[in-house]
Amino acid sequence: MGIPVKSLKAQHHLFADPTYQLEVLRHAGLEEEFPPFAVRLQEHGLYPLRPTGTTILQINLGKMCNQTCRHCHVDAGPDRKEIMTRDTMQLCLDALAKAPHIATVDLTGGAPEMNPDFRWFVEQLYPLGRQIIVRCNLTIILANKKYHDLPLFFKEHGVQVVSSLPYFSASRTDAQRGGGVFEKSIKALQLLNEVGYGQAGSGLQLDLVYNPSGAFLPASQKSLEAEFKRRLLSGYGIVFNNLFCITNLPVSRYLDYLVESDNYGSYMEKLVNAFNPVAAAGVMCRNTVSVGWDGLLYDCDFNQMLELKVAPSAPRHIRDFDLQRLDERAIVLNQHCYGCTAGAGSSCGGETAGK
Ligand code: SF4
Ligand code: SF4
């Protein structure tokens, strides 16, 4: 057996410290039991893993958030100061101008709306004709008067809204995201519905995200979506388009939860045993480049939180953006990647196997 993960944690002051996180993923007495993720890919002819062509630029506008959810992989919260500047946003716009094949710009955070230049950025993106996604946590719409008109702002700029709702009950949602979050989320969804979001024929897309509340894999996306639709409509009159099921990756606060609850080993075992080569072929890092709040480039949001920058053969800052070199890179992998390839697969757009 390797070093107990809790004693690794004791050596580090911050649980979100990327060095600690990578050590936990490497140790825990699991090295001999579980093959490195890269070896599993090799067995299926997928190593080195390379992009299939970048079509999504996911941009993290900052780590500030009005919530502090228990499983947040960003370790976001009201006290985080990291925020993307307008200059860095301009570099993202310059990069997009050079890359017409990037059809989607996916804005995330923290709460991206809390960035003081959020609206300016969306206004610049809108005329480019790309699909704009905002990962809105719902409660931000009610958090302050200055956010109350967000549903209309989203509508006017053709934004696709993607929002987390851990469950259709207050107890499970509040346990994961904080007291009162369910009630506010329901109110925010009703406000989005009122301006047309999720309504048939409106063209205004509203998608929800489900992730498990404990150390288990999500159930089938199709059956959960049907149940969410039924319960939200009958209980609150809410409609939405799609439900995306996302597996929790052992990163940041969720990794901390696994370590604290002694679930780390058994959870990794579940992920490793559920490895699905079809899901592995469809992981989101193959068509996405992730931009950090400071302009640094990553293969995905999770690698960003672990400070695993793109391979040195590729440009590593948005100012040096070069899509051809990025599309030739080998994707940086680690044991947390098992979270993307378990079962039906997982990405920011939900299941990946069978898409
Ligand atoms: S999960 Fe989302 S809403 Fe919750 S703290 Fe993290 S960024 Fe904020
Ligand atoms: S964690 Fe990131 S790099 Fe690893 S497989 Fe998932 S998307 Fe790709």
Side-chain angles (χ1 to χ4, degrees), residues 47-84:
Y47 187 80
L49 187 68
R50 297 201 189 273
T52 47
T54 303
T55 56
I56 302 172
L57 195 67
Q58 188 172 66
I59 305 174
N60 189 312
L61 296 189
K63 296 188 177 181
M64 194 182 289
C65 190
N66 58 315
Q67 293 185 184
T68 44
C69 304
R70 201 155 63 93
H71 294 170
C72 181
H73 73 273
V74 182
D75 192 26
D79 54 345
R80 298 302 298 252
K81 304 279 181 259
E82 302 91 333
I83 205 103
M84 184 175 275

Side-chain angles (χ1 to χ4, degrees), residues 66 138-145 147-148 184:
N66 58 315
L138 296 173
T139 64
I140 190 69
I141 294 172
L142 305 172
N144 186 300
K145 215 172 150 196
Y147 301 124
H148 288 0
K184 287 182 196 150

Side-chain angles (χ1 to χ4, degrees), residues 58-64 74-76 80-92 106 108-112 115 117 121 290-298 300-301 304-305 307 316-319:
Q58 188 172 66
I59 305 174
N60 189 312
L61 296 189
K63 296 188 177 181
M64 194 182 289
V74 182
D75 192 26
R80 298 302 298 252
K81 304 279 181 259
E82 302 91 333
I83 205 103
M84 184 175 275
T85 63
R86 193 179 280 208
D87 287 348
T88 307
M89 290 177 184
Q90 185 58 57
L91 293 174
C92 295
D106 184 341
T108 185
N115 184 311
D117 289 315
F121 194 36
S290 163
V291 189
W293 66 273
D294 51 4
L296 290 169
L297 301 181
Y298 302 88
C300 72
D301 210 33
Q304 188 181 137
M305 300 316 143
E307 296 182 7
R316 294 180 125 182
H317 194 279
I318 191 71
R319 79 170 78 84

Side-chain angles (χ1 to χ4, degrees), residues 116-164:
D117 289 315
F118 167 76
R119 292 188 195 223
W120 175 85
F121 194 36
V122 172
E123 282 160 7
Q124 309 308 305
L125 288 168
Y126 182 52
L128 303 183
R130 318 292 168 99
Q131 177 192 32
I132 306 170
I133 296 175
V134 172
R135 294 192 180 265
C136 170
N137 72 18
L138 296 173
T139 64
I140 190 69
I141 294 172
L142 305 172
N144 186 300
K145 215 172 150 196
K146 66 182 173 184
Y147 301 124
H148 288 0
D149 66 335
L150 275 171
L152 268 181
F153 177 81
F154 292 152
K155 178 181 178 171
E156 284 163 10
H157 296 86
V159 166
Q160 176 182 342
V161 177
V162 179
S163 296
S164 265

Side-chain angles (χ1 to χ4, degrees), residues 273-343:
N273 290 341
F275 178 82
N276 176 355
V278 178
V283 285
M284 64 179 170
C285 46
R286 301 192 85 184
N287 67 359
T288 304
V289 169
S290 163
V291 189
W293 66 273
D294 51 4
L296 290 169
L297 301 181
Y298 302 88
D299 298 296
C300 72
D301 210 33
F302 301 109
N303 283 11
Q304 188 181 137
M305 300 316 143
L306 292 166
E307 296 182 7
L308 297 170
K309 292 195 278 280
V310 287
S313 63
R316 294 180 125 182
H317 194 279
I318 191 71
R319 79 170 78 84
D320 305 314
F321 191 83
D322 177 337
L323 195 53
Q324 191 181 335
R325 282 173 58 217
L326 279 161
D327 279 351
E328 288 165 0
R329 77 193 190 278
I331 292 162
V332 177
L333 305 163
N334 205 293
Q335 297 303 74
H336 64 292
C337 298
Y338 275 115
C340 292
T341 58

